[in-house]
């Protein structure tokens, strides 16, 4: 696993979000030889518009695409908003899908995890995120899933939940094993 780079995207902009905590936990417990790189600027991306997807595209888009191009895999950590994908994450997917057919994550393994209110922990958003990234060209690893009902954390950091921490470590390990 030496030298593997994993792009990490968080679908929540809140500094104290549980999903950000899950992403930071993943970064902190990365296996030896694996570097998880959190792109923390989704809120800076302009709404996708083909008219502005030119040589003069926003610097935040250039930075996202460059980090994705350097990555060997991607881990997406997202909540569920109104039963679906948060807008900032969907916008990032749109930027990463271009140029269509050869986006920066084309054929790279990708896993989706996260937490949300409700008894299913964001399953609908996670399924929609997998679908959108798959259409955008990533190689979604369907069986790598973790949907955490936020109430099960009882107000504690995800690192304090042994089951969540172990499941996340396992997912990152299996995701990096998909790099080929």
């Amino acid at each position: 696993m030496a030298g593997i780079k994993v792009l990490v995207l968080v679908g929540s902009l809140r500094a104290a979000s549980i999903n950000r905590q899950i992403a930071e936990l993943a970064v902190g417990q990365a296996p030896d030889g694996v570097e998880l790189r959190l792109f923390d600027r989704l809120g800076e991306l302009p709404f996708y518009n083909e008219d502005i997807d030119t040589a003069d595209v926003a610097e935040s888009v250039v930075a996202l695409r460059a980090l994705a191009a350097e990555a060997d895999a991607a881990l997406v950590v997202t909540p569920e908003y109104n039963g679906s994908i948060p807008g900032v994450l969907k916008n990032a997917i749109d930027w990463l899908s271009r140029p269509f057919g050869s986006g920066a994550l084309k054929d790279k393994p990708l896993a989706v995890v996260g937490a949300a209110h409700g008894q299913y922990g964001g399953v609908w958003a996670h399924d929609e995120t997998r679908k959108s990234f798959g259409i955008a060209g990533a190689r979604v690893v369907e069986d790598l899933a973790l949907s955490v009902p936020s109430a099960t954390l009882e107000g504690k950091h995800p690192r304090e939940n042994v089951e969540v921490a172990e499941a996340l470590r396992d997912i990152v390990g299996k995701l990096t094993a998909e790099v080929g």
Side-chain angles (χ1 to χ4, degrees):
M1 279 196 270
I4 294 176
K5 297 175 186 143
V6 178
L7 170 66
V8 180
L9 300 174
V10 179
S12 175
L13 299 179
R14 286 186 326 107
S17 81
I18 292 170
N19 288 284
R20 181 167 309 285
Q21 292 172 0
I22 290 171
E24 291 167 352
L25 175 59
V27 169
Q29 63 181 20
D32 288 340
V34 177
E35 180 184 359
L36 276 72
R37 297 174 165 185
L38 177 62
F39 181 81
D40 200 21
R41 300 175 57 194
L42 293 186
E44 296 175 28
L45 301 174
F47 288 116
Y48 184 78
N49 176 341
E50 194 170 0
D51 291 342
I52 64 170
D53 194 359
T54 65
D56 296 330
V57 72
E59 186 277 331
S60 56
V61 172
V62 172
L64 172 62
R65 286 176 170 167
L67 204 55
E70 293 172 4
D72 300 300
L75 177 67
V76 181
V77 186
T78 188
E80 181 172 278
Y81 290 169
N82 299 311
S84 192
I85 303 171
V88 296
L89 182 57
K90 178 60 173 79
N91 189 44
I93 295 168
D94 293 343
W95 280 109
L96 288 169
S97 72
R98 301 294 192 254
F100 189 74
S102 60
L105 290 176
K106 182 171 175 50
D107 298 327
K108 295 179 183 182
L110 179 138
V112 179
V113 301
H117 296 294
Q119 63 182 343
Y120 303 113
V123 170
W124 290 345
H126 300 166
D127 288 346
E128 290 293 315
T129 302
R130 286 183 194 93
K131 180 180 94 175
S132 291
F133 267 112
I135 292 168
R139 183 171 52 86
V140 177
V141 185
E142 296 287 343
D143 61 338
L144 297 183
L146 176 64
S147 298
V148 180
S150 57
T152 64
L153 297 173
E154 300 174 333
K156 297 178 183 172
H157 193 288
R159 73 174 162 261
E160 297 178 52
N161 184 303
V162 174
E163 291 173 1
V164 170
E166 287 178 358
L168 187 59
R169 185 179 308 108
D170 184 57
I171 286 168
V172 170
K174 288 178 178 175
L175 177 64
T176 56
E178 291 285 328
V179 173

